[in-house]
Amino acid sequence: MAGLTLRNIAKEYGTTRVIEDINLDIDDGEFVVFVGPSGCGKSTLLRMIAGLEDISGGHLTIGGKEMNDIAPAKRGVAMVFQTYALYPHMSVYKNMAFGLKQAKMPQPEIDERVRAAAQILDITPLLERTPRALSGGQRQRVAIGRAIVREPDVFLFDEPLSNLDAALRVQTRIEIARLHERLGTTMIYVTHDQVEAMTLADKIVVLRGGNIEQVGRPIDLYNRPDNMFVAGFIGSPKMNFFNTSDLTTDGAALLQGQADTLGMRPEHLLPATDGALVIAIPDLIENLGEYALVHCQTASGTGFIAKTTDMDRFQKGVEIGLTADPARMHFFNDETGLRIAR
């Protein structure tokens, strides 16, 4: 196992800079998730750690050793890709053993490692099958097994669940979490899905435009986002934002001084008995059983969502006043986008 340090890491393609001066510490044994919208640089940053992309500037260390000019195979990392990249003509056993054979490892040790990894991933009965005889979830487990047999210091996952259906994504996500708990190895995981980030990570790194917006524990990013971008990205459904024209007189009174925008998460909006902050006009109600997502508009036309278990209080087209616990409210400066502590 090993920790990582990234200092002033940058990446340029010609005159285009896609990674900007990244500084990050990843502790030994941590599960860190890089999350952000498409094109934010998360996969590029992961590939730089793996050695699949050159580092244009800065320094990368793994286990205290600088890795800028070290070949990928010698960095002590193993990568699991979005596409499983399995050899179609080889059995599961041979796919998992291939890298070890290339490294000229003795056959008894190869066999021991492959069978141990197969047992961890519950794929021992599949060892003699070829990839085409496997489901998508089984193929992904084989790809993970191929990484495990290398016994790396760091595991790198590049959107490994994006090709799976919804049920398999949940199942495989749980398996990856249990794998980390069992192995205790440093893991870095890239995803655009903030639900995966919230459920898997010890620490989340939110990226935008090649920059780090915020680093922290999932619950800290949820409760105390540094800015409007993080507030709107972390959480499902995303945080609602209201300005003065969207709010009642009581609501507008909260926006004083530097605050221009009031943020409230859908799950924190409640029907008001008195002193409503915003008047909602529901135009679509998605009843999902244990809760409903109520799509609303303010009188000024701003769309937002309330997440509620009190379905009977909401009717399509019927105005309802909503409020929230003051401790759950977030205030932002529009010019800087920064959250204002209150």
Side-chain angles (χ1 to χ4, degrees), residues 13-30:
Y13 294 105
T15 59
T16 302
R17 192 168 232 202
V18 296
I19 297 292
E20 302 270 359
D21 198 30
I22 295 290
N23 290 281
L24 179 66
D25 293 309
I26 297 174
D27 294 335
D28 186 6
E30 262 192 320

Side-chain angles (χ1 to χ4, degrees), residues 311-328:
M311 291 80 150
D312 293 339
R313 297 290 298 275
F314 294 85
Q315 297 181 50
K316 186 176 178 179
V318 178
E319 288 188 359
I320 182 171
L322 300 177
T323 188
D325 182 342
R328 297 292 196 175

Side-chain angles (χ1 to χ4, degrees), residues 27-233:
D27 294 335
D28 186 6
E30 262 192 320
F31 197 127
V32 175
V33 176
F34 294 167
V35 69
S38 296
C40 70
K42 55 188 183 293
S43 289
T44 300
L45 187 57
L46 191 78
R47 290 173 65 84
M48 293 166 72
I49 293 171
L52 303 178
E53 295 278 359
D54 293 334
I55 296 173
S56 302
H59 300 276
L60 166 69
T61 63
I62 300 176
K65 299 177 182 178
E66 182 156 332
M67 294 291 168
N68 286 42
D69 300 317
I70 301 299
K74 297 182 179 180
R75 293 192 179 199
V77 304
M79 192 161 179
V80 179
F81 296 91
Q82 177 180 347
T83 53
Y84 316 123
L86 302 177
Y87 297 106
H89 62 288
M90 291 185 181
S91 67
V92 168
Y93 183 99
K94 289 181 178 179
N95 264 283
M96 293 172 64
F98 183 77
L100 304 182
K101 287 186 176 180
Q102 292 295 103
K104 302 189 184 306
M105 184 174 289
Q107 181 57 40
E109 186 172 353
I110 291 175
D111 190 67
E112 181 181 349
R113 288 195 186 191
V114 169
R115 296 190 182 281
Q119 185 174 7
I120 289 171
L121 295 167
D122 196 25
I123 56 173
T124 300
L126 310 179
L127 287 175
E128 299 308 316
R129 294 190 191 179
T130 57
R132 67 181 177 182
L134 306 177
S135 68
Q138 290 169 336
R139 291 178 191 179
Q140 191 56 275
R141 276 187 278 168
V142 174
I144 294 170
R146 188 171 53 189
I148 289 175
V149 298
R150 294 181 56 191
E151 298 183 356
D153 296 321
V154 181
F155 283 95
L156 307 176
F157 295 89
D158 190 7
E159 301 199 46
L161 309 186
S162 59
N163 288 335
L164 305 180
D165 62 36
L168 273 176
R169 281 201 300 272
V170 173
Q171 178 186 337
T172 310
R173 186 177 74 213
I174 293 169
E175 289 173 354
I176 291 173
R178 288 175 174 163
L179 177 66
H180 176 254
E181 185 175 343
R182 181 167 182 171
L183 298 179
T185 308
T186 307
M187 293 185 177
I188 306 174
Y189 187 103
V190 162
T191 182
H192 63 275
D193 185 336
Q194 55 85 33
V195 174
E196 288 180 23
M198 291 290 289
T199 54
L200 284 173
D202 297 321
K203 182 162 68 183
I204 294 177
V205 180
V206 183
L207 292 160
R208 178 172 64 159
N211 291 287
I212 292 178
E213 291 287 326
Q214 189 172 353
V215 178
R217 297 185 307 154
I219 193 63
D220 292 335
L221 270 62
Y222 177 84
N223 287 328
R224 291 180 293 279
D226 282 350
N227 55 50
M228 291 179 69
F229 175 79
V230 176
F233 196 85

